[in-house]
Amino acid sequence: MSADPRSEGRRSEGARPAGPRPAGPRPADPRTEAPHPEGSRPEAPHPEGSRPAVPHPEAAAPDAPPPGLLHVRFATASGDQADAGLYGQLLALLGEFTPVVEAAPPDAALADVRGARRYFGTDAAGIAALVRLRALARYGVRCTIGVAGNPLLARMAAQDAPPGGIRTVPGDGPSIAVFLARRPAVALHGVGPAAARALGAHGLDSVGRIAAAPPATLRRILGARTGRTVYDRARGIDPTPVTPHPATRSLAAEHRFPYDELDPDRRRAALLALADGLGSGLRTTGRAARALTLTVRYADGTSTTRTRRLPEPTAHGPALTAAAYALHAALGLQRARVRAVALRAEDLCGAERATRQLMFDPSGGAPDDRARRIEAAADRARARFGATAVRPAAAPPPVRHGPGPYGEGGPVRHDPGR
């Protein structure tokens, strides 16, 4: 029987030629592999043991929401901070544009104006211009405003803006990366000097380099939680919401003893340091306290709290110290093992409500006048050289426990009103 010539042709067409397969890559089959788009080329495989290059930091930042948050810093015409009364009026001015206003005393606030853009018929930068105009016209206050899509970028934009100016960070990823890339590591909120030194030791001295670093490297340097947070912030990511709350209504300070303290004189020395720090914090923010609360924490975990109403609003250190001593003496502690003492200045008001006794001594040599002049000089020294530059001679060295006016890790903290 003769074979069908058509079937012979099909078999010869699909048969693989005999012999060894030629070396080199197999040619692409146009029937199964799609052609590469015009102008593109396939990525060659990396040699064994090598790794691809790290992408440029400008490509690392994802897109953020459109600019809708304002970080506003207030300053009077003379460049000074606004006092407590004026600061409250400026917060009310922001409330005319949006109810979502977060106070950041003594001289800043964060406002979410995304819901106000349609009402005012303009974008967030236009609303920022209206805020600046009204603050200047009504109160003579100059506003420096940062506009961005999240609190981190808005805060950094305000720091980058000229005094009295507006700086807007667009919401697209490349613009965010360019804005962040060349900034030092300490420019990121939450990165202090110690963390910046640890990052710098590994060559991560700028935000752009931190954004380009592998997340595992940052977690190894800073720890799991901090490393993850710093990585996100270096890429312009900050999910923190704007939380409306009024300005702080109390100021607190705590001193923890290195061991259980039995000596009442050492406890009084700690109270002296705390009262001096509270007075400095109140005077710096232009406020005065109407009440003082003492909390004593014992070695067994229990605590005692006592509050005393002050005769008049004050930010004067000796008056706060006298009230703290009276509260401590009223507890009648004998052999109590004290672990920590804390003071809280409460029911704060503007410094203009604090009264001062007038003296008939024309030379100004009255003890109270001398003490106030010393306080003013100490406040100027602290403003120039740091919060720990001046302290009472009888006070113990400051113990660092948390953020506050004593510098990074100081014991004084602000608490929101309750």
Side-chain angles (χ1 to χ4, degrees):
M1 178 183 288
S2 61
D4 187 355
R6 292 175 297 180
S7 62
E8 287 291 336
R10 286 195 295 269
R11 280 198 299 269
S12 62
E13 248 182 327
R16 191 175 64 182
R21 181 176 177 177
R26 192 175 84 176
D29 188 351
R31 296 172 299 177
T32 58
E33 297 188 16
H36 299 290
E38 186 178 357
S40 66
R41 55 182 299 179
E43 183 181 359
H46 303 288
E48 188 175 356
S50 68
R51 57 179 296 182
V54 177
H56 193 274
E58 294 185 5
D63 290 347
L69 272 66
L70 311 182
H71 185 87
V72 188
R73 289 191 290 113
F74 307 108
T76 62
S78 60
D80 299 329
Q81 294 179 354
D83 59 32
L86 179 57
Y87 180 70
Q89 293 176 328
L90 293 170
L91 292 180
L93 185 149
L94 289 176
E96 298 175 4
F97 295 89
T98 173
V100 189
V101 178
E102 181 177 338
D107 62 349
L110 193 64
D112 187 344
V113 297
R114 288 175 293 184
R117 291 177 296 191
R118 184 175 179 182
Y119 179 83
F120 287 94
T122 183
D123 58 4
I127 295 177
L130 289 175
V131 170
R132 183 178 61 175
L133 179 63
R134 292 187 185 183
L136 186 62
R138 295 183 188 177
Y139 308 110
V141 171
R142 184 176 59 187
C143 295
T144 302
I145 306 177
V147 185
N150 60 51
L152 169 71
L153 296 175
R155 185 184 301 109
M156 297 178 72
Q159 294 171 351
D160 190 58
I166 299 174
R167 176 74 160 89
T168 302
V169 179
D172 60 289
S175 298
I176 294 173
V178 170
F179 174 74
L180 294 174
R182 297 186 179 275
R183 298 179 181 275
V186 292
L188 291 177
H189 183 65
V191 177
R197 286 193 298 269
L199 292 169
H202 292 77
L204 305 177
D205 55 354
S206 69
V207 177
R209 292 182 176 180
I210 295 173
T217 301
L218 297 177
R219 291 196 296 267
R220 187 170 61 252
I221 297 172
L222 302 174
R225 181 176 180 181
T226 305
R228 183 170 57 251
T229 301
V230 170
Y231 177 72
D232 287 342
R233 289 178 176 173
R235 300 169 69 231
I237 300 174
D238 182 14
T240 306
V242 180
T243 305
H245 63 73
T248 55
R249 298 184 59 187
S250 66
L251 188 68
E254 182 178 23
H255 180 91
R256 300 175 191 171
F257 297 103
Y259 48 82
D260 298 341
E261 187 57 69
L262 298 172
D263 189 352
D265 292 335
R266 291 181 180 175
R267 296 198 295 263
R268 286 169 58 90
L271 292 175
L272 171 63
L274 295 180
D276 182 72
L278 285 180
S280 175
L282 291 171
R283 294 189 298 273
T284 300
T285 57
R287 293 177 292 176
R290 295 189 182 99
L292 189 69
T293 296
L294 168 66
T295 300
V296 179
R297 307 186 192 281
Y298 305 105
D300 59 358
T302 61
S303 63
T304 302
T305 300
R306 295 289 184 270
T307 299
R308 171 165 295 195
R309 200 76 186 170
L310 299 175
E312 57 193 20
T314 184
H316 190 34
L320 296 173
T321 302
Y325 285 169
L327 286 168
H328 179 261
L331 293 178
L333 304 178
Q334 298 296 326
R335 299 292 298 172
R337 297 166 57 196
V338 175
R339 182 67 54 83
V341 291
L343 285 180
R344 183 190 300 274
E346 296 184 327
D347 196 9
L348 304 186
C349 63
E352 67 277 1
R353 298 192 180 184
T355 59
R356 179 177 176 182
Q357 179 65 45
L358 297 178
M359 299 295 178
F360 290 101
D361 186 355
S363 63
D368 186 69
D369 287 341
R370 288 196 299 270
R372 292 181 184 275
R373 288 200 301 271
I374 293 172
E375 276 186 344
D379 291 341
R380 291 193 296 268
R382 290 183 178 119
R384 183 172 181 180
F385 301 108
T388 58
V390 180
R391 61 186 180 87
V399 180
R400 302 181 182 273
H401 294 303
Y406 278 90
E408 185 189 5
V412 178
R413 63 182 183 274
H414 296 270
D415 294 328
R418 295 172 292 173

